[in-house]
Amino acid sequence: MEKSIKVWDWPTRLFHWSLVVLFGGMWFTGEQGGDWLQYHIWSGEAIAVLLLFRLIWGVIGSETARFSQFVKGPAAIRAYLQGKWTPRPGHNPLGALMVLALLAVLLVQVGSGLFATDVDSYTFDGPLARLISGELSESVTRFHKLLFNLILLLVGLHIAAIVAYRVIKKQNLVRAMLTGCQAVDGQTPAPYFRAWQLALLSLLLSGGGVYLLLTRL
């Protein structure tokens, strides 16, 4: 018998949907170019804050947000693929790989964007582009643009997996990330959640860290 329990805390859900919005904004402004690049830079800096927050929350946050809870080794992945995995609240072993992959490429993308240059007018360079030579900054910019294609591929795979879960397994992952609730086995205990004050402190520390990085270097 199934029951519905809260699986995702609001900091994790807020991170997820804020990242979706900012990623879309970063994509749009980057494609427009020109004066839109200023908004592209601001979006990238905001994503940097979110990513740093997620790394912190992945260590000290609620149970289902912690990397130690959902990141598993090859044996767990094999068991999941063979249908021998015991379901538990949160990400499954394959979902965990997608989370890690997206976080990794976004961190590299944002990091490279900080050193990228506006090759058309040199008006809207990345905030740290001044620290490296113009030639190197242009190379970083080319890498920044190429890596975005990989991010789009991963996002496409992520969306495809969500659709597959909805169609094949009848699991609405989008609704779960919106409401925080998910249907689980009746014997499954509810995960524990950390206080919102800790999440707010983590976000403030993340914002402060990014601000110091961009203004003190």
Side-chain angles (χ1 to χ4, degrees):
M1 184 176 179
E2 289 189 341
K3 64 178 180 180
S4 179
I5 63 172
K6 186 177 180 181
V7 171
W8 304 112
D9 61 8
W10 71 261
T12 301
R13 287 180 284 141
L14 184 59
F15 160 81
H16 181 276
W17 294 115
S18 297
L19 184 60
V20 169
V21 172
L22 286 170
F23 179 80
M26 187 178 65
W27 185 3
F28 174 80
T29 53
E31 290 293 330
Q32 300 306 305
D35 292 343
W36 284 98
L37 289 178
Q38 180 59 70
Y39 299 98
H40 182 77
I41 293 172
W42 287 340
S43 296
E45 292 172 352
I47 289 177
V49 174
L50 283 179
L51 292 175
L52 182 55
F53 164 78
R54 186 62 183 90
L55 293 178
I56 295 174
W57 199 241
V59 176
I60 68 173
S62 302
E63 181 178 353
T64 50
R66 293 194 175 200
F67 300 123
S68 60
Q69 189 269 352
F70 63 82
V71 176
K72 304 298 179 182
I77 297 173
R78 183 167 57 251
Y80 177 78
L81 293 174
Q82 295 173 347
K84 300 177 182 179
W85 171 258
T86 302
R88 57 189 304 179
H91 295 296
N92 61 57
L94 279 185
L97 291 181
M98 180 58 69
V99 170
L100 294 179
L102 284 171
L103 287 177
V105 295
L106 284 172
L107 282 168
V108 175
Q109 181 73 353
V110 170
S112 62
L114 297 178
F115 295 92
T117 187
D118 175 13
V119 294
D120 294 323
S121 65
Y122 296 95
T123 303
F124 300 104
D125 294 342
L128 300 183
R130 66 186 185 280
L131 300 179
I132 60 178
S133 67
E135 183 179 354
L136 179 57
S137 183
E138 291 183 7
S139 297
V140 171
T141 303
R142 288 192 292 270
F143 171 79
H144 184 72
K145 292 179 178 180
L146 287 173
L147 183 60
F148 186 70
N149 295 322
L150 175 59
I151 295 176
L152 288 180
L153 175 61
L154 290 175
V155 169
L157 290 174
H158 183 56
I159 294 174
I162 292 173
V163 173
Y165 264 79
R166 186 72 179 93
V167 174
I168 299 174
K169 295 193 173 185
K170 310 301 180 184
Q171 295 183 17
N172 193 332
L173 300 182
V174 174
R175 183 172 62 187
M177 190 55 69
L178 283 169
T179 65
C181 297
Q182 181 178 332
V184 297
D185 182 84
Q187 303 300 317
T188 302
Y192 67 83
F193 298 94
R194 302 302 299 266
W196 66 267
Q197 292 91 338
L198 183 61
L200 181 58
L201 177 61
S202 300
L203 183 59
L204 291 175
L205 288 174
S206 301
V210 172
Y211 175 79
L212 291 175
L213 173 67
L214 300 181
T215 59
R216 295 293 184 266
L217 287 182

